[in-house]
Amino acid sequence: MHTVVERELELNLVLSPERSIPVPARLSYRTDDPYAVHITFHVGSDSPVDWTFARELFVEGVFRPCGHGDVRVWPAKVDSRSVVCVALTSPDGDALLEAPSPAVSAWLERTLRAVPPGTERERLGIDEALAALLARTPGDDLWPRAPWLSDESGDGEA
């Protein structure tokens, strides 16, 4: 059984130091994808924008700057409010978003209770899937022991 931990919240898309616009978003975590967090931005278009990145990056970013490349996360104070800043880079452009720290922290805490750090691998089911793949089935005994002709078949062909 898999669990989904979601949180709807409003982020601020920073357009300039003095201007930002609200962007509705959904934070989502699925126990069947235990290393990842998903953010869906509803930007007023027909199709929402989805980003997926490491849960560990988001957890660490609440406390200290982390990440490089496409996703960077860090804590900050904006007008005496605690926020988590998320900088996203893609071929379509860059975005700087601010999320309220208390809401993000509470949601992350729920994900950490659902799948504690260090137990993610157990949730992937890799060992069970491998065992099922390699398990003998009743049909395994239907094949002859040597289904391929040997080079010494003696049928006269060279």
Side-chain angles (χ1 to χ4, degrees):
M1 179 165 156
H2 300 294
T3 302
V4 177
V5 179
E6 291 186 325
R7 173 77 192 247
E8 299 278 343
L9 73 157
E10 191 171 89
L11 306 180
N12 285 322
L13 174 62
V14 178
L15 302 175
S16 70
E18 53 282 326
R19 185 160 179 253
S20 64
I21 58 172
V23 176
R26 180 186 307 114
L27 302 176
S28 182
Y29 177 77
R30 299 187 314 259
T31 58
D32 61 337
D33 188 9
Y35 289 105
V37 294
H38 309 271
I39 302 179
T40 302
F41 301 102
H42 306 284
V43 291
S45 66
D46 287 339
S47 18
V49 176
D50 295 306
W51 277 77
T52 301
F53 51 92
R55 176 176 72 162
E56 185 178 336
L57 177 69
F58 216 21
V59 169
E60 185 176 338
V62 168
F63 300 103
R64 67 187 134 289
C66 65
H68 58 278
D70 295 346
V71 180
R72 291 174 289 129
V73 185
W74 67 93
K77 288 274 190 194
V78 175
D79 299 327
S80 74
R81 294 179 300 114
S82 292
V83 298
V84 177
C85 296
V86 180
L88 303 173
T89 301
S90 79
D92 296 328
D94 301 332
L96 174 58
L97 297 135
E98 296 170 346
S101 283
V104 170
S105 295
W107 173 75
L108 282 170
E109 182 62 34
R110 288 175 50 215
T111 75
L112 295 170
R113 280 196 307 269
V115 179
T119 66
E120 296 91 348
R121 186 175 186 279
E122 299 163 18
R123 293 295 186 133
L124 293 176
I126 292 173
D127 295 333
E128 293 83 3
L130 254 174
L133 184 65
L134 299 175
R136 292 186 54 83
T137 64
D140 290 343
D141 295 329
L142 296 178
W143 287 97
R145 293 287 174 237
W148 299 274
L149 294 174
S150 71
D151 289 339
E152 297 137 12
S153 62
D155 61 3
E157 292 183 27

